[in-house]
DNA sequence: GTATATGCAAAGCATTTGCATTAAA
DNA sequence: TTTAATGCAAATGCTTTGCATATAC
């Protein structure tokens, strides 16, 4: 995993972000690879370290982390949003359309948009979706 | 567009789906390419043709169409789910992270996962996300 | 000292559901 | 005739917000 790179918390300090106990524990809970936690998960983890933290603060903090690009939202299936702290690395996901199970898959097997044996995690694939994100002409102009 | 292919409504008849006036108008509203309507949009369009249709029925119908694979859900940004009736063709989307504007982009420009000039619609791209969908081992077993 | 984050509780919105009624096949 | 879809309205679940209080810098 990302040893040798700055942790999320370190990156937040570099950004001169005001570090409160609440923000620190949220960043700590989000640490690691292959992390796809719901807000409720983060709340539970954060509470273990700081019992007085509120769910609203967790939501606020997650929203800010997403806005500053340190954390990514993953919206799969019908469930709640998952938060993925790997802002720099792979963003290829493997989602079960039935139970919502979610895996990272690292190297994009571009051969026919298939997946390598090792990355398929036993899934029977149904389709692939590619989403390009950015700012449209109007929004880029407005910034 | 899909001239020469069966319309959504025709495909539903082939599936021997019980065709009610409500289901028919929902299918009619969803007809076409580059269609990404919210449930509320579909409701508005359906009401124009059948004023007594209810929002609950629109949601139920959309959910069934998704479950049978005739319509795809597109969950971009924070807004409501969009429904895309092009179950067979391109599933590459271009989403504005600021205003939620959504375009189809047809051929996947795999060169460095960039987009061709013609497909970029003036966006300044930030990233690309690839999602593989299917059934995990457990769910595939259970079916 | 001051600007900003927090907690609480209430509001918001999209979506789902229970159940009696209605209608397709 | 029978099985399944509809409409209504209430409930649900996730997420956001207003505002007074507390706190990092």
């Amino acid at each position: 995993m990302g040893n040798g790179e700055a942790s999320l918390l370190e990156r937040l300090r570099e950004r001169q972000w005001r570090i409160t106990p609440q923000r620190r524990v949220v960043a700590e809970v989000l640490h690691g690879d292959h992390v796809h936690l719901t807000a409720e998960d983060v709340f539970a983890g954060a509470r273990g370290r700081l019992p007085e933290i509120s769910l609203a603060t967790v939501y606020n903090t997650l929203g800010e982390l997403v806005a500053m690009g340190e954390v990514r939202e993953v919206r799969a299936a019908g469930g709640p949003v998952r938060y993925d702290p790997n802002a720099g690395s792979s963003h290829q996901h493997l989602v079960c359309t039935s139970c919502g199970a979610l895996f990272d898959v690292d190297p994009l097997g571009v051969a026919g948009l298939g997946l390598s044996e090792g990355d398929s995690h036993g899934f029977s694939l149904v389709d692939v979706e590619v989403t390009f994100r950015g700012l449209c002409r109007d929004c880029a102009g407005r910034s």
Side-chain angles (χ1 to χ4, degrees), chain A residues 82-127:
Chain A
R82 311 289 195 109
Y83 295 88
D84 178 343
N86 279 292
S89 50
S90 76
H91 299 118
Q92 282 77 54
H93 292 129
L94 179 55
V95 177
C96 177
T97 52
S98 176
C99 69
L102 199 160
F103 295 92
D104 282 333
V105 288
D106 252 19
L108 174 56
V110 193
L113 284 178
L115 266 185
S116 70
E117 273 295 321
D119 264 329
S120 74
H121 291 269
F123 274 55
S124 54
L125 289 183
V126 173
D127 65 23

Coordinates of all heavy atoms in Angstrom, one line a residue, chain A residues 82-127:
Chain A
R82 N -20.2 5.4 -0.9 CA -18.9 4.9 -0.3 C -17.9 6.0 -0.5 O -17.8 6.6 -1.5 CB -18.5 3.6 -0.9 CG -19.5 2.6 -1.1 CD -19.9 2.0 0.2 NE -20.7 0.7 0.0 CZ -20.2 -0.4 0.3 NH1 -19.0 -0.6 0.8 NH2 -20.9 -1.5 0.1
Y83 N -16.9 6.0 0.5 CA -15.8 7.0 0.4 C -14.5 6.2 0.3 O -14.2 5.4 1.0 CB -15.8 7.9 1.6 CG -17.1 8.8 1.6 CD1 -18.2 8.3 2.2 CD2 -17.1 10.0 1.0 CE1 -19.4 9.1 2.2 CE2 -18.3 10.8 1.0 CZ -19.4 10.3 1.6 OH -20.5 11.1 1.6
D84 N -13.8 6.6 -0.8 CA -12.5 5.9 -1.2 C -11.4 6.9 -1.1 O -11.3 7.9 -1.8 CB -12.7 5.4 -2.6 CG -11.4 4.8 -3.1 OD1 -10.3 4.9 -2.6 OD2 -11.5 4.1 -4.2
P85 N -10.4 6.7 -0.1 CA -9.4 7.7 0.2 C -8.2 7.6 -0.8 O -7.3 8.4 -0.7 CB -8.9 7.3 1.6 CG -9.1 5.8 1.6 CD -10.4 5.5 0.8
N86 N -8.3 6.7 -1.8 CA -7.2 6.6 -2.7 C -7.3 7.6 -3.9 O -7.6 7.2 -5.0 CB -7.0 5.2 -3.3 CG -6.3 4.3 -2.3 OD1 -5.1 4.5 -2.0 ND2 -7.1 3.4 -1.6
A87 N -7.1 8.8 -3.6 CA -7.3 9.9 -4.6 C -6.4 9.7 -5.7 O -6.7 10.1 -6.8 CB -7.2 11.2 -3.9
G88 N -5.2 9.2 -5.5 CA -4.2 9.2 -6.6 C -4.2 7.9 -7.4 O -3.8 8.0 -8.6
S89 N -4.6 6.8 -6.9 CA -4.3 5.5 -7.6 C -5.5 5.0 -8.3 O -6.3 5.8 -8.8 CB -3.8 4.5 -6.6 OG -4.6 4.5 -5.4
S90 N -5.6 3.7 -8.4 CA -6.6 3.1 -9.3 C -8.0 3.4 -9.0 O -8.4 3.5 -7.8 CB -6.4 1.6 -9.2 OG -7.0 1.1 -8.0
H91 N -8.8 3.7 -10.0 CA -10.2 3.9 -9.8 C -11.0 3.0 -10.7 O -12.0 3.4 -11.3 CB -10.5 5.4 -10.1 CG -9.8 6.3 -9.3 ND1 -8.9 7.2 -9.7 CD2 -9.8 6.4 -7.9 CE1 -8.3 7.8 -8.7 NE2 -8.9 7.3 -7.6
Q92 N -10.6 1.8 -10.7 CA -11.4 0.7 -11.4 C -12.0 -0.1 -10.3 O -11.4 -0.7 -9.5 CB -10.5 -0.1 -12.3 CG -10.1 0.6 -13.6 CD -9.0 1.6 -13.4 OE1 -8.0 1.3 -12.8 NE2 -9.2 2.8 -13.8
H93 N -13.3 -0.2 -10.4 CA -14.1 -0.9 -9.4 C -14.8 -2.1 -10.0 O -15.2 -2.0 -11.2 CB -15.1 0.0 -8.7 CG -14.4 1.1 -7.8 ND1 -14.6 2.4 -7.9 CD2 -13.4 0.9 -6.9 CE1 -13.9 3.0 -7.0 NE2 -13.1 2.2 -6.4
L94 N -15.1 -3.0 -9.2 CA -15.8 -4.2 -9.5 C -17.0 -4.3 -8.6 O -16.8 -4.4 -7.4 CB -14.9 -5.4 -9.4 CG -15.4 -6.8 -9.7 CD1 -16.0 -6.9 -11.1 CD2 -14.3 -7.8 -9.6
V95 N -18.2 -4.2 -9.1 CA -19.4 -4.1 -8.2 C -20.4 -5.2 -8.5 O -20.7 -5.5 -9.6 CB -20.1 -2.8 -8.5 CG1 -21.4 -2.7 -7.7 CG2 -19.2 -1.6 -8.3
C96 N -20.8 -5.8 -7.4 CA -21.9 -6.9 -7.6 C -23.2 -6.2 -7.6 O -23.6 -5.5 -6.7 CB -21.8 -7.9 -6.4 SG -23.2 -9.1 -6.6
T97 N -23.9 -6.5 -8.7 CA -25.2 -5.8 -8.9 C -26.3 -6.4 -8.0 O -27.4 -5.8 -7.9 CB -25.7 -5.9 -10.4 OG1 -25.6 -7.3 -10.8 CG2 -24.8 -5.1 -11.3
S98 N -26.0 -7.5 -7.4 CA -27.0 -8.1 -6.5 C -26.8 -7.6 -5.0 O -27.7 -7.1 -4.4 CB -26.9 -9.6 -6.6 OG -27.8 -10.2 -5.7
C99 N -25.6 -7.8 -4.5 CA -25.4 -7.6 -3.1 C -24.6 -6.3 -2.8 O -24.5 -5.8 -1.7 CB -24.7 -8.7 -2.4 SG -23.0 -9.0 -2.9
G100 N -24.1 -5.7 -3.9 CA -23.3 -4.5 -3.7 C -21.8 -4.6 -3.3 O -21.1 -3.7 -3.1
A101 N -21.4 -5.9 -3.3 CA -20.0 -6.1 -2.9 C -19.1 -5.3 -3.9 O -19.4 -5.2 -5.0 CB -19.6 -7.6 -3.1
L102 N -18.0 -4.7 -3.3 CA -17.2 -3.8 -4.1 C -15.7 -4.1 -3.9 O -15.2 -4.1 -2.8 CB -17.5 -2.4 -3.6 CG -17.2 -1.2 -4.5 CD1 -18.0 0.0 -4.1 CD2 -15.7 -0.9 -4.5
F103 N -15.0 -4.3 -5.1 CA -13.6 -4.5 -5.0 C -12.9 -3.5 -5.9 O -13.4 -3.0 -6.9 CB -13.2 -5.9 -5.6 CG -13.8 -7.0 -4.8 CD1 -15.0 -7.6 -5.0 CD2 -13.0 -7.5 -3.7 CE1 -15.5 -8.6 -4.3 CE2 -13.5 -8.6 -3.0 CZ -14.8 -9.1 -3.2
D104 N -11.6 -3.2 -5.5 CA -10.7 -2.5 -6.4 C -10.1 -3.5 -7.4 O -9.8 -4.6 -7.0 CB -9.6 -1.9 -5.6 CG -10.0 -0.6 -4.9 OD1 -10.9 0.1 -5.4 OD2 -9.4 -0.3 -3.9
V105 N -10.0 -3.1 -8.6 CA -9.2 -3.9 -9.6 C -8.2 -3.0 -10.2 O -8.4 -2.0 -10.7 CB -10.1 -4.5 -10.7 CG1 -11.0 -5.6 -10.1 CG2 -11.0 -3.5 -11.3
D106 N -6.9 -3.4 -10.0 CA -5.9 -2.5 -10.3 C -5.6 -2.3 -11.8 O -5.9 -1.2 -12.3 CB -4.6 -2.9 -9.6 CG -4.3 -2.0 -8.5 OD1 -5.3 -1.3 -8.1 OD2 -3.2 -1.9 -8.0
P107 N -5.0 -3.1 -12.5 CA -4.6 -2.8 -13.9 C -5.8 -3.0 -14.8 O -6.4 -4.0 -14.7 CB -3.5 -3.8 -14.2 CG -3.5 -4.8 -13.1 CD -4.6 -4.5 -12.2
L108 N -6.1 -2.0 -15.5 CA -7.2 -2.1 -16.5 C -6.9 -3.1 -17.6 O -6.0 -2.8 -18.4 CB -7.6 -0.7 -17.0 CG -8.6 -0.7 -18.1 CD1 -9.9 -1.3 -17.6 CD2 -8.9 0.8 -18.5
G109 N -7.6 -4.2 -17.6 CA -7.3 -5.2 -18.7 C -8.0 -4.7 -19.9 O -9.2 -4.9 -20.1
V110 N -7.3 -3.9 -20.7 CA -8.0 -3.3 -21.8 C -8.3 -4.2 -23.0 O -9.1 -3.9 -23.8 CB -7.1 -2.1 -22.4 CG1 -7.9 -1.2 -23.3 CG2 -6.5 -1.3 -21.2
A111 N -7.8 -5.4 -22.9 CA -8.1 -6.4 -24.0 C -9.6 -6.6 -24.1 O -10.1 -7.4 -23.3 CB -7.3 -7.7 -23.8
G112 N -10.2 -5.9 -24.9 CA -11.7 -6.1 -25.1 C -12.4 -5.6 -23.9 O -13.6 -6.0 -23.6
L113 N -11.8 -4.8 -23.0 CA -12.4 -4.4 -21.8 C -12.8 -5.6 -20.9 O -13.8 -5.5 -20.2 CB -13.6 -3.5 -22.0 CG -13.2 -2.0 -22.4 CD1 -14.5 -1.2 -22.7 CD2 -12.4 -1.4 -21.4
G114 N -12.0 -6.6 -21.0 CA -12.3 -7.7 -20.1 C -11.4 -7.5 -18.8 O -10.8 -6.5 -18.7
L115 N -11.5 -8.5 -18.0 CA -10.7 -8.4 -16.7 C -9.8 -9.6 -16.7 O -10.2 -10.7 -17.1 CB -11.6 -8.5 -15.5 CG -12.1 -7.2 -14.9 CD1 -12.9 -7.6 -13.6 CD2 -10.9 -6.3 -14.5
S116 N -8.6 -9.5 -16.2 CA -7.7 -10.6 -16.1 C -8.3 -11.6 -15.1 O -9.1 -11.2 -14.2 CB -6.4 -10.2 -15.6 OG -6.4 -9.7 -14.2
E117 N -8.0 -12.9 -15.2 CA -8.4 -13.9 -14.3 C -8.2 -13.4 -12.8 O -9.1 -13.5 -12.0 CB -7.6 -15.2 -14.5 CG -8.2 -16.1 -15.6 CD -9.5 -16.7 -15.2 OE1 -9.7 -17.0 -14.0 OE2 -10.4 -16.7 -16.0
G118 N -7.0 -13.0 -12.6 CA -6.6 -12.6 -11.2 C -7.4 -11.5 -10.6 O -7.6 -11.4 -9.4
D119 N -8.0 -10.7 -11.5 CA -8.7 -9.5 -11.0 C -10.2 -9.7 -11.0 O -11.0 -8.9 -10.5 CB -8.5 -8.3 -11.9 CG -7.4 -7.4 -11.4 OD1 -7.2 -7.4 -10.1 OD2 -6.7 -6.8 -12.1
S120 N -10.7 -10.9 -11.5 CA -12.1 -11.0 -11.6 C -12.8 -11.4 -10.3 O -14.0 -11.3 -10.2 CB -12.4 -12.0 -12.7 OG -12.2 -13.3 -12.2
H121 N -12.0 -11.8 -9.3 CA -12.6 -12.1 -8.0 C -13.8 -13.1 -8.1 O -14.7 -13.0 -7.3 CB -13.0 -10.9 -7.2 CG -11.9 -10.0 -6.8 ND1 -11.3 -10.1 -5.6 CD2 -11.2 -9.0 -7.5 CE1 -10.3 -9.3 -5.5 NE2 -10.2 -8.6 -6.6
G122 N -13.8 -13.9 -9.1 CA -14.9 -14.9 -9.2 C -16.2 -14.3 -9.8 O -17.2 -15.0 -9.8
F123 N -16.2 -13.0 -10.2 CA -17.4 -12.4 -10.7 C -17.7 -13.0 -12.1 O -16.8 -13.3 -12.9 CB -17.2 -10.9 -10.9 CG -17.5 -10.1 -9.6 CD1 -16.8 -10.4 -8.4 CD2 -18.4 -9.1 -9.6 CE1 -17.1 -9.7 -7.3 CE2 -18.6 -8.3 -8.5 CZ -18.0 -8.6 -7.3
S124 N -19.0 -13.0 -12.4 CA -19.4 -13.2 -13.8 C -19.8 -11.8 -14.3 O -20.8 -11.3 -13.8 CB -20.6 -14.2 -13.9 OG -21.6 -13.9 -13.1
L125 N -19.0 -11.3 -15.2 CA -19.2 -9.9 -15.6 C -20.4 -9.7 -16.5 O -20.7 -10.6 -17.3 CB -18.0 -9.4 -16.3 CG -16.7 -9.3 -15.5 CD1 -15.6 -8.7 -16.3 CD2 -17.0 -8.3 -14.4
V126 N -21.1 -8.6 -16.3 CA -22.2 -8.3 -17.2 C -21.9 -7.1 -18.1 O -22.2 -7.1 -19.2 CB -23.5 -8.0 -16.3 CG1 -24.6 -7.5 -17.2 CG2 -23.9 -9.2 -15.6
D127 N -21.3 -6.1 -17.5 CA -20.9 -5.0 -18.4 C -19.9 -4.1 -17.7 O -19.5 -4.3 -16.6 CB -22.1 -4.2 -18.9 CG -22.8 -3.4 -17.8 OD1 -22.1 -3.2 -16.7 OD2 -23.9 -3.1 -17.9

